């Protein structure tokens, strides 16, 4: 079954095959580490984590780079406002980003290049662009000359007039053309800067990605991903820089873009102030439920975030984990994902359909007659969970919930259960009933099974 992906560059779904099946290459634009990631920022890493897992399952190894932008004017401003060194800001927020991603079940990429560790490569690329006549130095700046690249606008489908009208292109006296964009800019002594042939300065944002992709993955990669707000100008500029610096070699064969996360139908963004931080949310909701909610819409569609969406996600996971817990004496069969799940995910990562299939598997598992049937269905459920990055924890742990996210004190519940069992043994049913009510009042459901009393959060 081939993997079909929607390619922004060609505007259609195409069968994907890597240029070199022994080394599939993927790059996703990572965070600028000046502040906390909001839940919208988490959509690209979670969506592309599913693709990472799918490619790994199909090809074995994937060279997957997701960068850290650790030089940027927003970082400089944050350091100044907080009176801390720049590296204190970037180290702190890169660490928090990694922790947040771990909480959301995102596998680490195989490379996490930092822009500041690639200044040499950035300068070399800018020099190559000047040498080939695609860029020019002016007043301490170096600019990419957009009219020198005839294919500019191919990814976003914009022509020159649209771009100038639509984009907030900065007018500056040293620009030859209003669409020209910055590759290198001068730094005043109070700002981070590196010596270069154009004086002490720092890179523009777009060139960082081009240089890191070239260094870590090579001139042409299989897949480039990011949020759809990055198509223009960021990805258009990455293409211009890389193609011109690499003698016309395409930057990426497939371009994938996720849709935006909204809240009350409004784009979630720091500038609008309607943000929900991942770091806050994971304290009150299990990361796996957040992940489930993020994957509940197709990645190219908008996703409207709400409390209800996460509550539903948690309930669905409760149902899935309960089925696993109730069959814990049955060894899952080592089976691939069922046909219907493979078909959905191979059709441009249709996660909502794959997730609906999981609900069907659970229904079948709950009503399966034989242990052999249960073993197969359980195996299929776990295999599907592995590709989606869910359902991999101990069901009992999930169902009890951590004290952090559910407010249930496990030791207290277990002590009440032990007291209730002792009361039942002593045939003191009145006391046993009282203890059952006391347990229920904690928001806990108990179930007496052949192997003892089990408990879980009420949901
Ligand atoms: P920013 O911090 O705005 O540079 O965004 C970092 C990454 O998050 C980029 O890949 C954006 O495309 C993505 N992003 C930002 N806001 C959202 C959102 N509301 N929904 C989905 N992706 C977003
Ligand atoms: Zn980028």
């Amino acid at each position: 079954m081939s993997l079909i992906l929607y390619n922004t560059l060609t505007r259609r779904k195409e069968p994907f095959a890597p240029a070199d099946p022994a080394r599939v290459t993927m790059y996703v634009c990572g965070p600028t580490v000046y502040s906390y990631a909001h839940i919208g920022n988490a959509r690209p890493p979670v969506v592309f984590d599913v693709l990472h897992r799918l490619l790994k399952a199909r090809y074995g190894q994937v060279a997957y780079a997701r960068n850290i932008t650790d030089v940027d004017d927003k970082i400089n401003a944050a350091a100044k406002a907080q009176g801390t060194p720049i590296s204190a800001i970037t180290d702190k927020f890169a660490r928090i980003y990694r922790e947040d991603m771990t909480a959301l079940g995102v596998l680490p990429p195989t490379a996490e290049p930092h822009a500041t560790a690639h200044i040499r490569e950035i300068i070399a690329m800018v020099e190559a662009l000047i040498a080939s006549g695609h860029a020019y130095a002016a007043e301490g700046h170096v600019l990419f000359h957009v009219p020198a690249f005839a294919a500019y606008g191919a990814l976003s489908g914009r022509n020159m007039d649209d771009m100038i009208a639509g984009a907030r292109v900065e007018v500056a006296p040293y620009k030859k053309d209003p669409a020209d964009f910055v590759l290198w800019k001068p730094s005043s002594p109070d700002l981070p800067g590196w010596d270069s042939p154009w004086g002490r300065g720092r890179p523009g944002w777009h060139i960082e990605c081009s240089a890191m992709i070239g260094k870590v993955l090579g001139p042409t990669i299989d897949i480039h991903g990011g949020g759809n707000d990055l198509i223009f100008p960021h990805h258009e500029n990455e293409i211009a820089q890389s193609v011109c610096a690499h003698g016309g070699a395409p930057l990426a064969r497939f371009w994938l873009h996720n849709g935006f996360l909204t809240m009350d139908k409004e784009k979630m963004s720091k500038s609008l102030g309607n943000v929900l931080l991942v770091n806050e949310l994971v304290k009150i909701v299990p990361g796996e439920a957040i992940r489930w909610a993020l994957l509940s819409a197709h990645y190219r569609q908008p996703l409207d975030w709400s409390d209800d969406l996460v509550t539903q996600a948690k309930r669905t996971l409760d149902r899935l984990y309960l089925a696993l817990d109730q069959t814990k004496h049955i060894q899952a069969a080592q089976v691939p994902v069922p046909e219907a799940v493979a078909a959905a995910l191979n059709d441009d990562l249709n996660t909502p359909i794959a997730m609906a299939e999981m609900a069907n598997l659970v229904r079948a598992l709950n009503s399966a007659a034989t242990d052999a049937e249960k073993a197969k269905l359980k195996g299929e459920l776990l295999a599907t969970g592995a590709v989606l990055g869910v359902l991999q924890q101990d069901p009992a742990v999930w169902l009890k919930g951590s004290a952090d996210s559910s407010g249930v004190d496990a030791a207290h519940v277990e002590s009440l259960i032990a007291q209730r069992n002792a009361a039942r043994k002593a045939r003191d049913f009145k006391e046993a009933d009282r203890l059952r009510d006391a347990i229920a009042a904690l928001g806990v459901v108990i179930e007496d099974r052949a192997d003892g009393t089990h408990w879980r959060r009420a949901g």
Side-chain angles (χ1 to χ4, degrees):
M1 193 185 294
S2 45
L3 168 61
I4 309 284
L5 297 174
Y6 181 86
N7 190 347
T8 308
L9 191 61
T10 56
R11 291 163 188 76
R12 53 187 169 83
K13 288 186 181 179
E14 292 175 40
F16 172 78
D20 173 7
R23 189 170 183 265
V24 184
T25 48
M26 174 159 90
Y27 183 90
V28 172
C29 297
T32 302
V33 284
Y34 68 100
S35 178
Y36 292 95
H38 63 64
I39 189 74
N41 298 140
R43 196 174 187 197
V46 168
V47 160
F48 290 105
D49 180 63
V50 173
L51 181 57
H52 182 199
R53 287 167 187 262
L54 203 60
L55 293 169
K56 260 165 67 121
R58 193 177 259 266
Y59 300 102
Q61 260 308 322
V62 180
Y64 170 29
R66 192 187 62 216
N67 72 295
I68 296 279
T69 296
D70 58 353
V71 49
D72 184 274
D73 290 350
K74 287 194 273 261
I75 300 174
N76 303 339
K80 201 164 179 184
Q82 293 168 38
T84 42
I86 283 171
S87 63
I89 299 275
T90 55
D91 289 352
K92 175 181 168 189
F93 288 109
R95 176 180 53 76
I96 291 171
Y97 187 79
R98 284 186 208 105
E99 287 168 7
D100 287 350
M101 292 308 118
T102 303
L104 299 184
V106 175
L107 299 176
T110 49
E112 197 184 53
H114 286 52
T116 53
H118 292 82
I119 300 295
R120 206 159 39 93
E121 288 78 5
I122 291 170
I123 291 176
M125 196 173 227
V126 175
E127 285 181 310
L129 289 169
I130 294 176
S132 63
H134 294 99
Y136 58 95
E139 296 179 28
H141 293 74
V142 182
L143 292 126
F144 186 92
H145 191 43
V146 169
F149 180 50
Y152 194 83
L155 180 71
S156 56
R158 297 180 188 215
N159 65 33
M160 213 51 138
D161 294 341
D162 295 344
M163 285 185 277
I164 292 166
R168 283 166 288 133
V169 284
E170 204 187 325
V171 183
Y174 46 81
K175 279 189 181 181
K176 286 190 190 167
D177 188 281
D180 293 355
F181 60 88
V182 167
L183 301 174
W184 188 265
K185 55 191 166 189
S187 289
S188 52
D190 59 319
L191 288 177
W194 291 263
D195 288 330
S196 81
W198 318 286
R200 186 175 173 279
R202 60 194 192 283
W205 170 39
H206 315 301
I207 193 76
E208 297 173 10
C209 283
S210 282
M212 288 187 275
I213 295 170
K215 175 73 191 312
V216 178
L217 300 173
T220 300
I221 60 173
D222 292 311
I223 298 171
H224 193 314
N228 64 12
D229 59 323
L230 300 185
I231 298 174
F232 183 83
H234 184 54
H235 290 163
E236 202 73 81
N237 292 355
E238 280 189 29
I239 292 176
Q241 298 160 155
S242 295
V243 169
C244 296
H246 295 137
L251 170 55
R253 300 169 53 246
F254 280 74
W255 284 87
L256 270 65
H257 292 98
N258 63 271
F260 252 53
L261 187 138
T262 56
M263 200 140 74
D264 300 324
K265 305 281 182 217
E266 242 194 322
K267 169 182 161 176
M268 183 178 286
S269 80
K270 286 175 193 142
S271 53
L272 289 175
N274 61 348
V275 296
L276 207 56
L277 303 180
V278 179
N279 207 256
E280 291 296 319
L281 203 57
V282 294
K283 290 184 185 134
I284 47 172
V285 184
E288 196 170 329
I290 301 172
R291 181 181 177 97
W292 186 275
L294 283 170
L295 294 173
S296 63
H298 186 265
Y299 78 94
R300 286 196 283 123
Q301 297 302 319
L303 170 65
D304 200 42
W305 193 264
S306 64
D307 288 347
D308 194 43
L309 181 74
V310 198
T311 307
Q312 286 303 336
K314 201 163 149 208
R315 271 197 204 128
T316 306
L317 284 166
D318 279 347
R319 217 162 41 240
L320 300 183
Y321 273 118
L322 185 59
L324 292 179
D325 194 47
Q326 284 167 341
T327 52
K328 73 171 178 217
H329 55 287
I330 291 176
Q331 173 96 36
Q334 289 297 321
V335 286
V337 298
E339 210 39 32
V341 169
L345 294 176
N346 285 321
D347 179 15
D348 197 31
L349 308 180
N350 201 325
T351 52
I353 292 192
M355 288 152 83
E357 283 302 327
M358 286 176 97
N360 292 338
L361 287 172
V362 163
R363 253 190 305 277
L365 178 59
N366 287 341
S367 60
T370 67
D371 282 2
E373 215 180 317
K374 285 183 189 165
K376 175 172 173 281
L377 289 162
K378 189 173 169 180
E380 290 184 335
L381 195 57
L382 288 171
T384 305
V387 186
L388 291 174
V390 294
L391 231 50
Q392 305 301 300
Q393 48 176 308
D394 179 345
V397 172
W398 168 274
L399 293 168
K400 291 178 169 66
S402 68
D404 270 2
S405 61
S406 65
V408 177
D409 176 345
H412 183 47
V413 172
E414 267 146 35
S415 146
L416 291 177
I417 288 175
Q419 289 175 47
R420 172 176 165 265
N421 286 344
R424 284 167 68 194
K425 211 160 166 198
R427 308 191 66 76
D428 183 351
F429 297 113
K430 202 165 154 226
E431 176 65 358
D433 284 351
R434 187 191 70 77
L435 286 159
R436 176 182 264 280
D437 291 346
I439 294 165
L442 295 174
V444 166
V445 177
I446 57 177
E447 192 183 330
D448 295 311
R449 294 191 207 152
D451 63 347
T453 306
H454 292 243
W455 68 271
R456 61 180 192 272
R457 285 178 282 109

